[in-house]
Amino acid sequence: MDTSLIIFAVIFGIVGVIGCVLPMIPGPPLSWAGLLLISLSDKFGAQYDSKMVITWAIITLVVMALDYVVPILFTKGFGGSKDATRGATIGLLVGLFMGPAGIILGPFFGALIGELINNSSRRTHALKVAFGSFISFLLITELKLVASCLMLWYICKTPIEMLFN
């Protein structure tokens, strides 16, 4: 049973890291599930107390909430309208079908088009709003990667240490 928990924990951790850059996969929650699984193993579970697992659950929830809030805040912070926010969301969804470049550029062009629909005479402003949307995407992706990579490190740390000791 321990071996299965460890294998699934590592798989969840790796898929969680991948999910940080692929919006259709919930990265940090999968990484946290891997951390939970490793904490349930008889062999390594003693290394992970409930306080640590709960702390990472809270961090995961905060990161997930920020994933939805930060793009809206940045788009509005750069002067974007509701049309720009909607455009960024639609751009992200369309971008999912165009691979990694679409995932990165979709929100940018979506916000740009949305802002131009709102006010086509302010092209420079629309570009600024689209840039804000792009920056928020990079920022939140980095935050998710840091959280998921740290959880993957915790997942792999104790089993690797025990293998080499």
Side-chain angles (χ1 to χ4, degrees):
M1 182 69 170
D2 260 6
T3 305
S4 297
L5 284 173
I6 295 163
I7 290 170
F8 280 112
V10 171
I11 290 171
F12 276 43
I14 292 169
V15 173
V17 170
I18 293 168
C20 293
V21 292
L22 296 176
M24 60 204 114
I25 301 172
L30 285 175
S31 296
W32 180 80
L35 190 64
L36 178 65
L37 287 175
I38 197 90
S39 75
L40 296 175
S41 78
D42 292 332
K43 198 178 231 180
F44 305 116
Q47 306 295 324
Y48 306 94
D49 62 354
S50 60
K51 187 177 178 181
M52 180 182 154
V53 174
I54 291 169
T55 300
W56 277 105
I58 293 167
I59 291 169
T60 299
L61 290 171
V62 168
V63 168
M64 286 174 49
L66 288 174
D67 193 18
Y68 293 102
V69 174
V70 167
I72 294 167
L73 293 176
F74 267 69
T75 303
K76 286 183 180 181
F78 277 75
S81 64
K82 287 184 181 181
D83 290 333
T85 304
R86 288 185 195 118
T89 304
I90 292 168
L92 175 63
L93 294 174
V94 171
L96 289 175
F97 299 104
M98 298 179 183
I103 293 168
I104 294 168
L105 296 175
F108 175 85
F109 286 111
L112 179 66
I113 292 167
E115 193 61 28
L116 287 173
I117 288 171
N118 184 53
N119 188 348
S120 62
S121 65
R122 297 176 63 193
R123 289 188 179 115
T124 305
H125 176 72
L127 197 56
K128 177 183 165 189
V129 170
F131 181 71
S133 174
F134 178 70
I135 294 298
S136 74
F137 171 79
L138 292 178
L139 181 68
I140 199 64
T141 300
E142 184 177 346
L143 181 64
K144 292 189 301 187
L145 274 169
V146 166
S148 289
C149 285
L150 283 171
M151 285 187 270
L152 179 60
W153 181 77
Y154 278 116
I155 291 167
C156 295
K157 178 183 160 238
T158 305
I160 290 172
E161 285 174 351
M162 293 186 120
L163 280 174
F164 291 107
N165 287 333

